[in-house]
Amino acid sequence: MMKKKLINAIADLDEQKTLSLVKNKIKAGETPLEIVEQCRLGVEIVGEKYKEETYFLSDLIMAEEILRGVMEILAPYFPEKDGEQGEVNIVMGTIEGDIHDLGKNIVIYLMRSVGINVYDLGVDVEPEQFVRSLTETGASVLGISVLLTFCIGTVKKVVDLIQEAGLREDVTIIIGGYSVNEEIKEYTGADYFETEASKAVDVIKDILKGKD
Ligand code: B12
């Protein structure tokens, strides 16, 4: 019941209601992760309405503003923890052509809160840049965010370039974002995919443990 309220407030793009629900949920002891997941489900409805043309680009932008407000409230609950020796564990970025970064940033918040050192390349990242950053940082995990279907081919290009650079054995690749699924994972040649923030962090923690 309570979950539906937040999902619907976001789906209706009701900023005030969303922010006050989030504050109340925190007070009531719901975890930031549960709240993030409800927000994701809410914006998924926004996305559907956009596809059906009952919402427009301006509504997507409104959804962005609302999510930023939610993350401002939640940020203090994801305190940053210092990782060991400052070595970079994971390189993250949104693929070239794609500027969606709210989901990526949530995952980064979560990773930093458990002491994973993240090197964030931001959005619209060229395939070559991913490879350069892996070489420069020595990170053993690469996370790529991709929400736009037409950018999936570019993700495959990143995986191919990593292979060509002779790094494929040393780097575990995980992809996330609205458009990913098992089929896309297979197509791109990535090792893992994940669309839920908390599970994503668990998977990455496990990968890093395996690499110790
Ligand atoms: C907000 C939004 C925008 C905002 C983005 C703001 C920002 N700074 O990110 C703005 C207004 C800029 C935008 C623009 C566009 N958008 Co838009 N947008 C959305 C919307 C409504 C929500 C996305 C979002 O933030 N979700 C919330 C987060 C929390 O979820 P998430 O990103 O999936 O992330 C979670 C997981 O996937 C995972 N995750 C994410 N990244 C990673 C990475 C790793 C490594 C791991 C492990 C996990 C992980 O963890 C997150 C937390 O749970 C979606 C609808 C939807 N269903 O997603 C459309 C949507 C993604 N957009 C869409 C489109 C078409 C566009 C535009 C092309 C519209 C236009 N005509 O201009 C442009 C493209 C701009 C560009 N070049 O990138 C389509 C894409 C369709 C497709 N399949 O290709 C969608 C699906 C809407 C729809 N149904 O049509 N958009």
Side-chain angles (χ1 to χ4, degrees):
M1 273 302 279
M2 279 298 280
K3 278 187 186 159
K4 271 246 167 80
K5 266 197 190 164
L6 178 56
I7 296 174
N8 289 338
I10 294 188
D12 294 341
L13 298 173
D14 190 333
E15 184 170 20
Q16 270 193 328
K17 195 167 172 189
T18 300
L19 299 184
S20 77
L21 279 171
V22 168
K23 285 178 194 153
N24 289 340
K25 278 170 181 287
I26 288 281
K27 274 193 207 132
E30 261 187 65
T31 68
L33 275 183
E34 286 170 321
I35 296 172
V36 163
E37 182 54 17
Q38 290 160 35
C39 291
R40 191 177 65 85
L41 294 173
V43 292
E44 216 165 274
I45 300 175
V46 174
E48 278 157 24
K49 289 191 178 178
Y50 172 78
K51 211 159 66 186
E52 291 164 1
E53 296 183 7
T54 46
Y55 275 178
F56 303 96
L57 187 57
S58 55
D59 298 306
L60 293 187
I61 294 169
M62 190 62 210
E64 169 181 14
E65 189 185 316
I66 294 176
L67 279 187
R68 282 197 195 285
V70 171
M71 284 316 291
E72 258 170 46
I73 298 173
L74 297 184
Y77 298 90
F78 296 120
E80 209 167 306
K81 213 166 119 187
D82 279 336
E84 273 172 49
Q85 301 143 0
E87 74 176 62
V88 173
N89 305 120
I90 177 168
V91 169
M92 285 275 284
T94 300
I95 195 69
E96 184 174 35
D98 195 334
I99 61 162
H100 294 86
D101 66 354
L102 297 168
K104 171 182 71 65
N105 293 343
I106 289 172
V107 177
I108 290 177
Y109 265 121
L110 288 177
M111 288 195 283
R112 288 186 172 149
S113 74
V114 297
I116 297 173
N117 283 336
V118 187
Y119 191 77
D120 182 12
L121 295 174
V123 298
D124 192 18
V125 181
E126 290 181 352
E128 292 78 8
Q129 178 65 48
F130 283 108
V131 183
R132 266 200 305 276
S133 300
L134 285 170
T135 314
E136 282 165 14
T137 61
S140 59
V141 186
L142 172 65
I144 306 175
S145 194
V146 53
L147 275 83
L148 298 174
T149 312
F150 68 79
C151 292
I152 286 165
T154 316
V155 176
K156 181 172 164 44
K157 190 172 168 201
V158 177
V159 180
D160 291 346
L161 283 179
I162 290 173
Q163 177 88 41
E164 279 168 33
L167 297 171
R168 190 65 188 91
E169 300 286 299
D170 308 321
V171 178
T172 306
I173 304 169
I174 176 164
I175 56 175
Y178 175 75
S179 65
V180 307
N181 55 39
E182 181 65 34
E183 208 181 317
I184 302 297
K185 188 203 87 176
E186 293 295 322
Y187 170 75
T188 57
D191 300 299
Y192 298 89
F193 78 95
E194 194 49 69
T195 53
E196 233 179 88
S198 56
K199 287 195 194 145
V201 176
D202 286 344
V203 172
I204 293 164
K205 269 201 290 198
D206 283 348
I207 297 170
L208 287 169
K209 245 189 244 152
K211 292 200 179 247
D212 275 348

